[in-house]
Structure formats: C-alpha cells, structure tokens
Amino acid sequence: MLKLTNIHTYYGNIHALKGIDIEVEEGEVISLIGSNGAGKSTTLMTTCGIVPAKKGRIELNGEDITYLPPDEIVKKGICQVPEGRRIFPYLTVAENLDMGAFLRNDTEKIKQDLDYVYELFPILANRKNQVGGTLSGGEQQMLAISRALMSRPKILLLDEPSLGLAPIVVKQIFTIIGKINQESKTTIFIVEQNANLALKAAHRGYVMETGKITMTDTGANLLVNEDVKKAYLGI
Amino acid sequence: MRWINIGLGLAVTGIIGFFVVRELLIDPLYFFELFLGGLTRGSIYALIALGYTMVYGIIQLINFAHGEIYMIGAMTALIVASVLGLWGWNTAVIAILAVVFAIVYSCAYGFTVEKIAYKPLRNSPRLSALISAIGMSLFLQNYVMLAQTPDYLPFKSLIPDFHFWEPYAHIITSVELTIIITTVIVMILLGILIKFTRIGKAMRSLPVMWDRSTFSSDFWQGSKPLSQRFWVVSALSRAQCWDRWYWVFPKAILPDISTVNMKMYLPFPSWY
C-alpha cells in the first residue's frame, strides 16, 4: 500500500536517511524502532512531504507521492500524529477535532467520524468544550490521535505515541491503536523508542540505525531476536 | 516601579477626568457631541486595529501596509463615487457601489500584497518579512501619490441626513450614527466568523502551527487560512472607508496606524 524505495533525505548537509526501503501492506500495524537520532521521525516527515526526499520514491497504492505538498498527501489518505502531540492549546476539544476534518466537506460523514472518535475515547466527549491546553498528557495524545482520525486516513502515522506518558496510559493508548486497526481497517505505522511495546503491538517491525534499515521481521520474531534484545529491549 | 506606574496612571486619568467632568458640567450637550464624535473615530480605529492584530496574531508580522490597504479602499470609494456622481446616479446607489468596490479592491490588494511580499518570506527570519512589509507600505503610498495626487481631495458626503433622525441630529449626525452602527454589525459578524466558522477556527489555531513541524501535521493545507485571513482583514478595514465623509488623506497616509495606536495608549501606562 505504502512503499518507500531507496529514500535519501537531508537536513542541509546532514544525510539523515541513507536509502530507506519500507513497505506497508493494507491493514497492517508496522513498527519502526531505533535509538535517538536514527532517523525514525525523519522517515515519517519524508513520507508526509514535510521534509521532502532528495532521492527515492514514495508510492501510495502505486501512485507517486514523493514530491506532493503535505496537504495533498493528507488528502490522499496519509495522516500523521506528530511527536509531542501538538494539539491546538487554545481551541476546545471539539474545535480541535473539527480542524482535523479541515480538508473534508462531507458533513454527514464527519458527524459519524466524530461519534466514532467520541466512542473510542469517551473522555474526550466529556471534555468537548474544554480548551485543549488544559488536558492531561494522555488526553492530549488521545486528542491528537482523534484529530488525525478525523481526516479519515488510510494510513495513520504515529510518531512516539508513548512520549512523556504514564505507563498505564501508554498501555491504554496502544490498546486503542489496536482497536482502530481492527475496527476501521486503518493501516498503522508506529515510530517508537519503546521497542517492547511497539513490537508487541505490531504485525511487522523495522529496526533502524543511523539512517539505515538494519533489520526487518515480524514483530514477534524481532522481540526474541538476540541483537534487538541487546540493543533496544535492555535484556 | 509598579507604584510609580499606578500613581502616574491615576494622576493622568485624574487630570483628564477632571476636565471631562468639568466639560460635562459646563455644557452637557457639547460634551456629548464631542463624546460621540470620539466614539465614531474610535470605532473606525478599532476596526483597523482588529485587522492589524489579526494579522500579527497569525503570522507574527507587523503588517506595515495595513494602513495603505485602508487608504486604497478609501481612494477606490472616492473614485467610484466621483465617477458615478458625474453620471448623475442616485446617492444611495453610489454609496452602496462605492462600499462594494472598496471592499473588493482592498481585498484584492490585501491578497496580492500577501502573495507578493509576505508569502515567499514565510520561512525566513522575521526581520526580512518586516522589511518587506515596510517596502510594500512605501510602494503603495508612492504609487497612489503618483497615480492620483498627493493633495487633499474632497469626499462628498454619501449619506443623506435621515429624516427620522432630525430631532437628535444636533447631538450626533446621521453619518456618525451610520458609522457606529456599521462598526457594531461588522464586529459582531467578525466575532461569529472567528468563533464558529472553520476558517475562524483555523485562524485561531494558526499561531501554534507557526513552528515548522506542526505546520505540516495532518490537516495543514498550504497557506490557505493565512491568505483567507488577509482577505477578511482587508475587507474589514475597508468596510468603513466610505464614511470618511469629508477628506481622504493620500498625502498624510497616517504615517502609520501604529502611531495612532501609540497615541491612543499614551494616557494608559503599563498598569492599565
């Protein structure tokens, strides 16, 4: 469904991605793990068109989207939940969600999605009129995910959903991520430092080191892989 | 320091208050005339200020060309009114057409200025955009001075003296009444736009998106909300040009609206 072929991305002179190949099939949950500065977030940024690739090709269902501007890419059905949540602190929860559907005009379906999102995260329904900035970290993460869902993505890109959250909240969020994947058949691509959780949740995983993919296998296999254990799971 | 500020503030307010009250006691009618006159000018400034602060709130850029856009609207209204006046059209029709043209023209100018001078600099240091804004301001001033005239131009009143208003006309003229009512309506509409529409919400969310990475998150779509805001703002600053009932000052072109604002704040030091 989503296919990255030999992607090279630069920040100025810094060669951040050195030829990445990733393939995501429809309905899958994919995890990309790696240490700080490996280029995980950059991979997402490049996919979204925010930091366009210098070389390589990104395809969505066979269509070349490498050099499309971010808004076009969102329209095509790729939506990112940015690192650190980045909700709109001065807008209410309902307004935040409405902004997620900014590119859509089908009022009826937006309403449906809104109900779905509120069902997924009942706490957001309770806080509908609360200003986003006053939510707790976990609630903000839920809001960020919901906002992304409001654009009806085919692929949901999650950048460090566990960042700065209590372990119990992280667990809750990963449960719901699984639920989103099963219920609405949304393909999910997670970038995580918490390798253990991410690999457990994923069908397949990729391991990244300094701008290169070093390993790829099913989530379960990676979890028991000796090298991965040593490097990322701390066992 | 704080107490000095408060003391100074109270002193200034007290002195002003003293004169205000004295004036009120000496000649209440004259007082209200002045008061309403002030309110009228004030409401015009308030609309300009609203547009100004909207732009600043979103792109963190002091839009030096804001006053020029206002001036362009006034000039457009003047030209339309003069031409139609020559053709002998009905005053009411002229007034409406002048407003419509003024709004359309200043929208177009606002939109174009943003496209030419601000948008290409969206990701550059703020100083560059600021200088670009000053350049745009100078350009528009001189352009109008060359294309029209640097002299004072008379602007004939387009608003008739309302018959029903006659009993109160000595306190507040029909023109002033129209200005105040228009201002209130425009402000309410703007409030609704900002609070409830999608564009409005996008505008309010934008300051946060100002950093590169959020910019690009899920729903970011080019710079459309930004451009739309320029549109709205220009229309707004324009909505009232037509009731500049006596003169247009292409020459003075308000050295800048910011100076006007400064003057307005002078009596209110920081404790305010």
Side-chain angles (χ1 to χ4, degrees):
Chain A
M1 184 183 197
L2 178 70
K3 195 173 167 195
L4 283 73
T5 326
N6 193 26
I7 293 292
H8 290 261
T9 303
Y10 293 78
Y11 289 114
N13 286 328
I14 301 162
H15 199 171
L17 297 185
K18 301 164 186 164
I20 297 261
D21 296 288
I22 291 180
E23 205 166 332
V24 183
E25 296 298 333
E26 191 152 6
E28 269 186 322
V29 178
I30 300 288
S31 288
L32 178 61
I33 59 171
S35 53
N36 273 341
K40 299 178 304 258
S41 294
T42 311
T43 311
L44 286 196
M45 292 295 191
T46 302
T47 314
C48 291
I50 298 155
V51 186
K54 266 247 172 80
K55 231 173 88 185
R57 186 179 162 86
I58 304 173
E59 278 173 31
L60 180 67
N61 293 328
E63 193 182 347
D64 188 0
I65 58 164
T66 322
Y67 299 110
L68 286 183
D71 55 308
E72 291 290 326
I73 293 178
V74 175
K75 251 186 220 166
K76 296 244 185 281
I78 299 184
C79 191
Q80 190 184 160
V81 179
E83 188 175 354
R85 309 185 279 272
R86 307 261 185 200
I87 54 147
F88 302 125
Y90 302 114
L91 299 188
T92 64
V93 169
E95 286 169 346
N96 262 286
L97 293 175
D98 190 29
M99 286 294 94
F102 197 91
L103 293 173
R104 297 169 56 189
N105 288 318
D106 41 349
T107 323
E108 269 306 302
K109 282 193 182 141
I110 291 177
K111 185 90 199 16
Q112 275 175 24
D113 285 357
L114 199 63
D115 291 340
Y116 173 65
V117 158
Y118 282 149
E119 190 192 316
L120 220 50
F121 302 104
I123 188 118
L124 292 183
N126 295 337
R127 315 229 149 159
K128 225 186 267 185
N129 296 317
Q130 195 174 324
V131 175
T134 61
L135 298 178
S136 74
E139 288 159 1
Q140 288 190 9
Q141 186 64 59
M142 294 174 192
L143 180 55
I145 294 174
S146 309
R147 185 181 62 185
L149 284 178
M150 288 303 289
S151 73
R152 270 224 174 173
K154 290 182 197 128
I155 303 186
L156 190 62
L157 309 177
L158 294 157
D159 201 349
E160 303 257 359
S162 74
L163 191 76
L165 300 182
I168 185 158
V169 182
V170 173
K171 219 173 219 175
Q172 203 182 338
I173 282 178
F174 270 87
T175 316
I176 290 178
I177 290 174
K179 210 169 143 195
I180 294 170
N181 174 249
Q182 278 158 19
E183 279 178 5
S184 57
K185 303 279 170 262
T186 311
T187 312
I188 292 176
F189 189 68
I190 310 174
V191 157
E192 257 295 353
Q193 292 216 32
N194 188 337
N196 193 17
L197 253 176
L199 289 178
K200 266 184 198 155
H203 298 129
R204 287 194 300 124
Y206 287 88
V207 181
M208 208 170 172
E209 257 167 62
T210 54
K212 279 181 192 139
I213 300 280
T214 49
M215 224 185 289
T216 170
D217 207 333
T218 63
N221 281 352
L222 282 177
L223 266 177
V224 293
N225 183 299
E226 286 304 321
D227 293 334
V228 175
K229 265 189 187 169
K230 225 184 261 164
Y232 303 106
L233 300 177
I235 306 170
Chain B
M1 201 56 212
R2 192 161 165 265
W3 289 107
I4 297 176
N5 274 340
I6 293 180
L8 256 174
L10 284 179
V12 172
T13 319
I15 294 169
I16 295 174
F18 169 75
F19 283 109
V20 167
V21 172
R22 199 184 66 156
E23 214 54 50
L24 177 62
L25 292 177
I26 294 173
D27 188 348
L29 202 65
Y30 182 55
F31 171 82
F32 277 112
E33 226 180 287
L34 285 184
F35 174 75
L36 291 169
L39 201 64
T40 315
R41 308 283 150 96
S43 56
I44 296 172
Y45 288 146
L47 276 191
I48 301 177
L50 271 178
Y52 220 55
T53 184
M54 274 172 82
V55 173
Y56 186 79
I58 277 200
I59 51 174
Q60 311 277 296
L61 159 76
I62 301 171
N63 181 15
F64 280 103
H66 194 70
E68 278 66 36
I69 300 289
Y70 181 90
M71 174 269 293
I72 296 246
M75 286 306 293
T76 311
L78 175 65
I79 292 168
V80 170
S82 314
V83 171
L84 296 185
L86 275 181
W87 293 351
W89 286 34
N90 181 310
T91 325
V93 178
I94 294 181
I96 292 168
L97 278 180
V99 176
V100 171
F101 269 88
I103 292 178
V104 169
Y105 263 78
S106 39
C107 276
Y109 268 90
F111 197 79
T112 317
V113 164
E114 196 258 347
K115 275 271 176 304
I116 294 176
Y118 303 155
K119 199 175 171 190
L121 295 169
R122 187 127 317 142
N123 296 319
S124 41
R126 277 165 66 181
L127 192 60
S128 317
L130 192 73
I131 290 167
S132 178
I134 294 173
M136 216 47 194
S137 158
L138 289 176
F139 169 75
L140 286 176
Q141 281 180 29
N142 289 288
Y143 159 62
V144 173
M145 277 197 270
L146 287 173
Q148 298 297 322
T149 166
D151 286 329
Y152 290 115
L153 291 170
F155 198 157
K156 226 177 68 192
S157 173
L158 292 174
I159 299 165
D161 292 326
F162 303 130
H163 194 62
F164 68 90
W165 194 248
E166 232 159 64
Y168 318 102
H170 59 289
I171 303 173
I172 171 172
T173 65
S174 314
V175 171
E176 289 171 327
L177 181 75
T178 318
I179 293 176
I180 291 174
I181 291 175
T182 324
T183 311
V184 170
I185 293 173
V186 170
M187 281 178 183
I188 290 172
L189 287 179
L190 181 71
I192 292 172
L193 180 86
I194 295 295
K195 188 76 194 143
F196 299 109
T197 68
R198 225 171 222 200
I199 297 176
K201 288 177 202 168
M203 285 174 178
R204 279 186 288 141
S205 67
L206 276 168
V208 194
M209 304 173 71
W210 193 226
D211 96 273
R212 195 85 177 87
S213 57
T214 326
F215 240 101
S216 27
S217 69
D218 43 341
F219 51 91
W220 175 251
Q221 51 145 227
S223 313
K224 243 178 230 162
L226 279 189
S227 306
Q228 274 162 351
R229 179 180 261 205
F230 263 84
W231 230 84
V232 173
V233 163
S234 299
L236 182 73
S237 80
R238 229 47 333 289
Q240 285 225 322
C241 71
W242 54 289
D243 36 42
R244 317 279 25 231
W245 61 102
Y246 49 148
W247 303 99
V248 179
F249 307 110
K251 189 181 190 177
I253 311 173
L254 321 165
D256 220 318
I257 303 294
S258 51
T259 7
V260 177
N261 284 348
M262 288 305 289
K263 277 182 197 142
M264 282 164 64
Y265 281 117
L266 268 186
F268 304 104
S270 59
W271 59 273
Y272 158 72

